[in-house]
Structures are given as C-alpha cells and as structure tokens.
C-alpha cells in the first residue's frame, strides 16, 4: 500500500511542473534577449553614434596645422561598418584625444573630394594614421579591432 495520499502526489507534481516552467521561462529570457554591443547596434543607433562621433572630431584644417599625430577616418552615413566602428573611434578619442587628432571626413560631402583623391580612398571606413609631420604611418580598411588601432596609435604618439 502506498503511504502517500493522492492530494500530496498532485501537489508534488504541480511543484515539479511549476519549477520546470519557471526554469524554462528564465532560460528563454536569457537566450532570446537582444545583444547590444557596439558591433550589433541597430541601424538608427549606429547612425546616431556615427554622427555624434563625427561632430566631436577635430576639423581637418586644424588637425593638419596643430602638429599632433592624426587619425583620419573616411566614412559614409549609409555604411553599416562605419556605424559599428563609431563606438571604437569614440573610445579612441576618449583615451588618446589629448595626444591625437581624430578627423572624420564623409566621402559623400563634396568638400572632401580632394582629400578622398589625395588619400586614394577605395572603401569605407578607411583610416589613415599620420605622424605629427603629417607623413603617412599606417592605414586600415573596414572593421578594425580596437586593440590594433590603439597599438598603432601608441606607436605614433611615442
């Protein structure tokens, strides 16, 4: 004869089912929530970040004249890679802005046509790292990890 009453068995089953349901709900929440890193910004937030970063950039004429090393980024508003790199460039500005000019030139703006031609820009984003005498030290195209850009910048700043 079974010593557990039918009401107790039903309560035990209900508890197990409830525990499994709560566990499933928690797992579903963590496995399906959107990831919001700099590389997965929405198109709108990526564009906003790109425009904000461009707004804080050093003007080209000032950068060429002030005797500091310069990172020139050629970008386009429609470029999703440019948008995703905006947070990286912003971080570089925060870390190295006192010792480095960060210049952002929109390739779709006609006023930068001569710079696009002079640097022979072939894609966006494209980055040119210039020494304090404005000689070309390094260049990068596309999505570049923060560490690679930071290391190149450290070399030019020294």
């Amino acid at each position: 004869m079974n010593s557990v009453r039918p009401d107790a068995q039903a309560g035990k089953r209900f508890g197990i089912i409830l525990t499994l349901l709560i566990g499933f709900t928690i797992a579903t929440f963590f496995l399906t929530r959107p990831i919001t890193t700099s590389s997965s910004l929405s198109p709108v937030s990526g564009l906003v970040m790109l425009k904000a970063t461009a707004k804080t950039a050093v003007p080209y004429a000032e950068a060429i004249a002030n005797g500091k090393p310069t990172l020139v980024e050629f970008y386009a508003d429609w470029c999703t890679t440019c948008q995703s790199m905006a947070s990286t460039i912003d971080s570089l500005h925060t870390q190295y802005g006192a010792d480095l000019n960060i210049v952002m030139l929109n390739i779709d703006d006609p006023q930068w046509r001569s710079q696009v031609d002079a640097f022979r820009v072939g894609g966006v984003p494209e980055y040119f790292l210039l020494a304090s005498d404005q000689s070309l030290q390094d260049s990068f195209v596309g999505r570049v990890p923060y560490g690679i850009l930071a290391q190149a910048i450290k070399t030019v700043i020294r």
Side-chain angles (χ1 to χ4, degrees):
M1 181 176 214
N2 192 348
S3 64
V4 180
R5 295 185 335 204
D7 290 345
Q9 284 180 336
K12 192 173 183 180
R13 270 190 239 124
F14 177 75
I16 291 171
I17 291 170
L18 184 60
T19 302
L20 290 172
L21 184 60
I22 290 171
F24 178 75
T25 302
I26 291 170
T28 302
F29 171 77
F30 284 107
L31 293 173
T32 61
R33 68 187 174 141
I35 299 170
T36 55
T37 63
S38 62
S39 63
S40 67
L41 292 172
S42 74
V44 172
S45 62
L47 180 58
V48 168
M49 180 71 161
L50 180 64
K51 288 195 173 276
T53 304
K55 205 174 241 188
T56 63
V58 176
Y60 182 75
E62 179 183 326
I64 297 305
N66 70 12
K68 285 197 229 175
T70 301
L71 177 67
V72 179
E73 176 185 0
F74 289 92
Y75 74 97
D77 289 340
W78 48 262
C79 169
T80 56
T81 302
C82 301
Q83 294 169 11
S84 70
M85 285 294 294
S87 62
T88 298
I89 300 304
D90 187 57
S91 295
L92 291 168
H93 181 266
T94 300
Q95 185 164 358
Y96 301 105
D99 301 314
L100 176 78
N101 298 308
I102 295 184
V103 174
M104 295 182 65
L105 304 178
N106 187 335
I107 64 163
D108 292 330
D109 188 333
Q111 72 174 319
W112 305 122
R113 176 60 32 212
S114 63
Q115 285 78 12
V116 169
D117 293 341
F119 283 93
R120 297 183 189 154
V121 175
V124 287
E126 192 159 351
Y127 306 92
F128 296 90
L129 187 57
L130 309 176
S132 55
D133 65 358
Q134 301 308 310
S135 62
L136 180 63
Q137 298 299 302
D138 213 339
S139 64
F140 308 90
V141 179
R143 188 181 317 268
V144 183
Y146 176 89
I148 291 174
L149 286 171
Q151 185 58 45
I153 289 167
K154 286 179 204 172
T155 302
V156 170
I157 288 175
R158 285 188 219 146

